[in-house]
Amino acid sequence: MSPPKAATLFLLFFLLLLSSTTTSNAHNITRLLAKYPQFSTFNHYLTTTHLASQINRRQTITVLALDNTAMSSLLAKHYSLYTLKNIISLHVLVDYFGSKKLHRISKGSTLTSTMFQATGTAPGTSGYVNITNLKGGKVGFGAEDNEGKLDATFVKSIKEIPYNISIVQISHALNSAEAEAPTAAPSQLNLTEIMSKQGCKAFADLLTASGADDKFNENMDAGLTVFCPTDSAVKGFMPKYKNLTASKKVSLLLYHGIPVFMSLQMLKTNNGVMNTLATDGANSYDFSVSNEDEVVSLDTTVVTAKVLGILKEEEPLIVFKINKVLMPKELFKPVVAKEANAPEADAPADSEPADAEDNTNGVQGLGGGRLVMLVLSLWIGILLI
């Protein structure tokens, strides 16, 4: 093989390898555990305490999972949900420990930080966990503030994605006086009051008048993202809004909420189709999220709105201000093409809208960098033929 051809083959291999390594390291703890019904209770409390979303945002994590039997023993102590959050966060290590690493601890013992320590509410090193190699190949776990007692032992590895996330089962819950201390509930968040004070009073008033605010409040504990149009945007939209039936008004308002907590950074890194509070089996009521530079856009196929800023971010709630009312294709005619003599595209549809082909099918496309590398690789391959 000639040197030029060998160099070309090497370049081709390098580009393909680089393309394959640009995939996201994102993980979803609840989806990973959903495959194992014996951890369903633990998985449920990861969601209700909002620890799941925090785990998913971290790049390196180890979860010490408790099966349903161990969780039953923990729940029998009747801790509040907020105390349970502290206890479970003690079982989330902010470092990667696969099965092999756990059984080969340097010097036989180590202290590692947890998400409980990261909250800032754990005094001293009480949010640390002691991992110790025991006789017979066993591995013991204990909270640092538990007088050196190792409450639990390693049972098995459930899932490992080196060096991103490791999920291992331990025999019992870790005891910690600090984590188990009574924890007061955070102050109640009032969604419409938050919006009214931040330039979105018109939209807040529509939520209250229609009763749609109840659906928003019901979803708040589990995580909620709200896109609130400015007062001026709502004012300009009111003639169209008044032409909708009562049920369609509610659907339009619910279309401005996503039933999960999505920070600005999460929106930027999770471009694609998003379901909303209005989504049901018969109607998708979704829109696409994209970003260019630092600007995040929401495309409904009828209108494209831009995120102007954040009104409130206090997990499990985040409220964004947007420059336009989101108009779903289920209620308004999608914009197909802009023509000089075409009728106004965002007028309410007189009949059911035609089915629009969805080329994404809920799956994100290739990122720009990967697409370029793929095209270059194909081009070089053609030159070799």
Side-chain angles (χ1 to χ4, degrees):
M1 182 182 293
S2 65
K5 183 168 287 187
T8 305
L9 281 173
F10 174 78
L11 179 59
L12 174 61
F13 172 77
F14 174 76
L15 288 171
L16 289 173
L17 180 63
L18 185 60
S19 175
S20 66
T21 58
T22 55
T23 55
S24 172
N25 288 329
H27 51 260
N28 187 306
I29 181 63
T30 54
R31 288 181 185 174
L32 292 173
L33 281 175
K35 301 175 183 178
Y36 307 93
Q38 64 269 39
F39 298 99
S40 59
T41 304
F42 183 77
N43 202 14
H44 167 74
Y45 280 97
L46 286 179
T47 300
T48 56
T49 59
H50 307 294
L51 284 171
S53 59
Q54 296 177 36
I55 291 171
N56 293 341
R57 290 201 292 271
R58 289 184 174 267
Q59 292 185 342
T60 304
I61 207 85
T62 299
V63 178
L64 306 180
L66 302 172
D67 66 11
N68 294 341
T69 302
M71 282 298 296
S72 294
S73 299
L74 182 61
L75 295 174
K77 298 178 181 179
H78 304 291
Y79 295 116
S80 71
L81 181 64
Y82 306 99
T83 299
L84 272 175
K85 180 176 182 177
N86 285 342
I87 295 172
I88 296 175
S89 66
L90 185 67
H91 294 69
V92 184
L93 315 180
V94 292
D95 196 359
Y96 181 84
F97 287 91
S99 176
K100 184 179 293 186
K101 183 177 178 180
L102 285 172
H103 287 84
R104 298 178 182 177
I105 297 294
S106 177
K107 298 181 181 179
S109 183
T110 188
L111 280 178
T112 187
S113 184
T114 68
M115 284 183 60
F116 179 49
Q117 184 72 26
T119 63
T121 60
T125 58
S126 60
Y128 279 74
V129 166
N130 179 1
I131 305 174
T132 300
N133 288 155
L134 306 173
K135 293 181 179 179
K138 293 184 177 181
V139 181
F141 299 84
E144 171 65 5
D145 68 339
N146 195 33
E147 300 177 351
K149 296 179 182 178
L150 301 177
D151 301 308
T153 56
F154 173 87
V155 177
K156 64 181 179 181
S157 175
I158 301 169
K159 181 70 175 179
E160 296 183 17
I161 307 177
Y163 294 87
N164 184 208
I165 183 171
S166 173
I167 308 173
V168 300
Q169 179 186 356
I170 60 173
S171 58
H172 301 88
L174 304 179
N175 293 311
S176 165
E178 294 297 339
E180 295 164 7
T183 305
S187 57
Q188 185 65 36
L189 295 170
N190 187 316
L191 176 61
T192 52
E193 182 179 339
I194 291 169
M195 292 191 293
S196 295
K197 292 180 178 179
Q198 299 288 337
C200 287
K201 186 178 186 305
F203 187 75
D205 289 344
L206 292 180
L207 290 182
T208 303
S210 66
D213 59 326
D214 289 339
K215 186 66 175 286
F216 281 84
N217 291 328
E218 289 171 7
N219 281 270
M220 196 177 301
D221 286 344
L224 180 65
T225 301
V226 181
F227 298 98
C228 183
T230 62
D231 285 344
S232 59
V234 173
K235 181 179 179 181
F237 180 73
M238 284 307 295
K240 296 183 179 67
Y241 182 79
K242 291 177 180 178
N243 287 334
L244 298 173
T245 64
S247 62
K248 289 183 177 181
K249 287 177 180 177
V250 171
S251 294
L252 179 131
L253 296 172
L254 295 179
Y255 189 61
H256 289 73
I258 299 176
V260 291
F261 176 89
M262 296 286 290
S263 67
L264 182 61
Q265 186 59 37
M266 293 169 72
L267 287 177
K268 289 179 179 179
T269 57
N270 290 276
N271 286 183
V273 177
M274 296 284 177
N275 288 332
T276 67
L277 292 176
T279 300
D280 58 32
N283 298 295
S284 59
Y285 278 102
D286 55 27
F287 55 74
S288 296
V289 178
S290 62
N291 65 279
E292 184 174 352
D293 297 327
E294 293 300 310
V295 179
V296 175
S297 298
L298 315 176
D299 182 10
T300 75
T301 73
V302 179
V303 67
T304 299
K306 288 180 170 49
V307 173
L308 301 177
I310 300 174
L311 300 185
K312 181 74 172 181
E313 182 174 5
E314 184 177 332
E315 199 165 351
L317 172 69
I318 185 166
V319 183
F320 294 99
K321 181 184 285 189
I322 56 177
N323 68 333
K324 295 180 182 179
V325 173
L326 299 176
M327 293 187 282
K329 59 183 179 296
E330 287 78 7
L331 301 179
F332 300 90
K333 294 178 181 178
V335 176
V336 178
K338 293 183 178 180
E339 296 179 2
N341 299 320
E344 187 172 344
D346 57 2
D350 296 328
S351 59
E352 291 297 320
D355 292 335
E357 183 180 358
D358 184 359
N359 291 326
T360 63
N361 291 323
V363 180
Q364 297 180 27
L366 285 173
R370 293 187 66 198
L371 183 59
V372 169
M373 286 185 282
L374 182 58
V375 172
L376 284 173
S377 300
L378 290 173
W379 178 73
I380 294 172
I382 291 171
L383 292 179
L384 292 175
I385 298 175

